Amino acid sequence: MKRKKRVSPTQLTLAWFRKRGIAARVTERWVKTATGGFRLDVFGGDLMALLGMEIVNVQAGTGAHHQEKIRKATNHPDVRLWLECPSRIFWIITWTQRVVFKKNGDKQKRPRWTPRVSVLSLHEGKIIASNFALK
């Protein structure tokens, strides 16, 4: 029996940016300690991308954890620090497998990974999240 190959949300997001010609790099790393280790995010994100004159910091995850990612990021002090500069953007991108339909109405054989994006921004000192429509 074949095992399904797992793809991380960070790798899906990186491929999604590259497909659109956007330069992106992974910034999350594993830090070893005497008792194991932990993941270290840069300013609360897993990767960064250059979008014209703006820098996007992205927290990637699975679709079931979208609201949890938003809650965590809005309470993260580094995210607030990141958003205080007008040329910086913070995105939450989560991935879900969805059945896609062909033009004739038939289902595709395999579900496709589809992203959901929320943009975090500072308004009157509060971090708020809004949905982002993808093209």
Side-chain angles (χ1 to χ4, degrees):
M1 187 161 111
K2 276 189 173 181
R3 292 181 66 176
K4 280 188 177 182
K5 186 176 180 181
R6 292 182 186 229
V7 181
S8 76
T10 301
Q11 292 304 316
L12 287 168
T13 305
L14 197 57
W16 184 77
F17 277 126
R18 288 184 178 154
K19 183 179 177 182
R20 285 154 182 77
I22 299 169
R25 301 290 182 271
V26 176
T27 55
E28 177 187 60
R29 66 185 177 109
W30 180 258
V31 178
K32 283 187 177 181
T33 63
T35 58
F38 61 93
R39 294 207 181 281
L40 179 66
D41 294 342
V42 175
F43 294 105
D46 297 330
L47 54 100
M48 289 189 192
L50 299 175
L51 223 59
M53 297 299 289
E54 298 175 318
I55 301 171
V56 181
N57 196 356
V58 179
Q59 177 61 246
T62 58
H65 296 60
H66 193 83
Q67 291 303 320
E68 181 185 329
K69 295 277 184 189
I70 290 173
R71 183 187 50 75
K72 215 169 157 185
T74 55
N75 294 321
H76 198 296
D78 287 349
V79 174
R80 175 175 297 283
L81 187 65
W82 180 263
L83 291 172
E84 287 175 353
C85 179
S87 63
R88 296 182 194 149
I89 303 168
F90 197 94
W91 284 359
I92 307 287
I93 301 181
T94 56
W95 294 88
T96 306
Q97 281 192 323
R98 298 193 192 279
V99 174
V100 178
F101 293 92
K102 297 178 184 177
K103 288 181 182 177
N104 65 5
D106 293 342
K107 287 183 181 179
Q108 291 279 4
K109 289 188 178 183
R110 294 183 325 202
R112 302 278 184 225
W113 285 107
T114 55
R116 176 181 175 192
V117 181
S118 290
V119 179
L120 299 185
S121 55
L122 268 179
H123 286 286
E124 298 176 4
K126 288 182 104 178
I127 298 175
I128 61 163
S130 54
N131 289 332
F132 184 73
L134 298 172
K135 294 178 184 175

